[in-house]
Amino acid sequence: TNLLVCINGKKLGAKRTVARISNFQGIGSDMRKLYEELGVDEIISPVELASKEIKRLINQSAFTNDYEFEGGKLTVFGISITNDSPLINKSVKDTNHLNPNRSFKPIALLRHDETIFVKGDTLLLENDIVYFISAPESIEEITSMCGQKCFQIKNVMILGGSRIGVLTAELLEKKYDVILI
């Protein structure tokens, strides 16, 4: 239905059409090109998006969240502050010397289910989840500053054979030992 509406919309003069489809198996690169020729500018598959997000979070094991912008040129991610971190009980202003290149910046933090937008005098406490915006080359530095280490994941178990579970298993099976239940 969404594809037909987009095709008709384009023929009636719509400048841009976006279709949400639930059948993720039909949107390979060949099918995307065909849909584009028919008048569908963009196809969104919630199943595909969820599976790719799960894969990205598994690859960045120290993060709580991870969002890429401009094809990975910038990343916003959340990471927990451990008791080993040099950031504990210091304000953002007091930790500026740890970032001389200004290649990353804390933008918000989550403390006891409360979101706090970071200012210069904001104190960073143990177990805070701090959200940074960063260039990819600074991610490893931020991870160690927060007292975290990315650990290597070898085995992945997925509970549930839904479309998301199956697609995620397919995305991960080349790099990980995957068990799908």
Side-chain angles (χ1 to χ4, degrees):
T1 303
N2 291 341
L3 292 172
L4 290 174
V5 169
C6 286
I7 292 167
N8 286 332
K10 194 61 122 177
K11 287 185 180 200
L12 292 172
K15 294 199 185 309
R16 183 151 174 80
T17 59
V18 179
R20 177 194 163 277
I21 64 168
S22 55
N23 183 4
F24 65 91
Q25 292 169 331
I27 59 170
S29 60
D30 291 341
M31 290 303 292
R32 286 183 193 268
K33 187 179 284 189
L34 173 65
Y35 293 150
E36 196 173 294
E37 290 171 6
L38 291 172
V40 181
D41 297 314
E42 180 106 23
I43 295 176
I44 297 173
S45 168
V47 170
E48 184 181 41
L49 293 173
S51 297
K52 286 180 178 179
E53 181 68 17
I54 291 167
K55 180 182 177 187
R56 186 170 44 243
L57 286 172
I58 288 173
N59 288 334
Q60 296 291 348
S61 57
F63 299 168
T64 60
N65 311 72
D66 176 29
Y67 307 98
E68 289 185 345
F69 298 94
E70 288 296 318
K73 293 178 185 174
L74 270 182
T75 301
V76 173
F77 61 91
I79 187 165
S80 182
I81 304 286
T82 69
N83 60 357
D84 297 333
S85 173
L87 303 176
I88 287 184
N89 298 323
K90 293 186 180 162
S91 71
V92 171
K93 189 173 21 179
D94 294 338
T95 62
N96 280 340
H97 68 281
L98 298 172
N99 183 15
N101 306 357
R102 304 280 187 247
S103 60
F104 58 87
K105 178 181 170 99
I107 53 176
L109 63 88
L110 182 64
R111 181 181 294 150
H112 307 296
D113 295 326
E114 180 185 356
T115 301
I116 301 168
F117 290 100
V118 173
K119 299 178 186 165
D121 60 349
T122 303
L123 282 179
L124 301 173
L125 305 177
E126 183 178 353
N127 297 322
D128 281 352
I129 297 175
V130 181
Y131 291 87
F132 288 91
I133 187 164
S134 169
E137 57 270 8
S138 299
I139 290 174
E140 193 173 313
E141 182 182 351
I142 296 167
T143 303
S144 66
M145 256 195 323
C146 293
Q148 295 276 4
K149 293 180 184 159
C150 280
F151 50 90
Q152 186 176 0
I153 295 173
K154 296 177 186 173
N155 303 309
V156 175
M157 182 182 292
I158 300 171
L159 301 175
S162 66
R163 290 187 290 181
I164 292 174
V166 170
L167 184 58
T168 302
E170 289 173 357
L171 289 173
L172 297 175
E173 70 183 349
K174 292 180 181 135
K175 188 173 177 182
Y176 305 99
D177 291 327
V178 179
I179 297 173
L180 178 62
I181 298 176

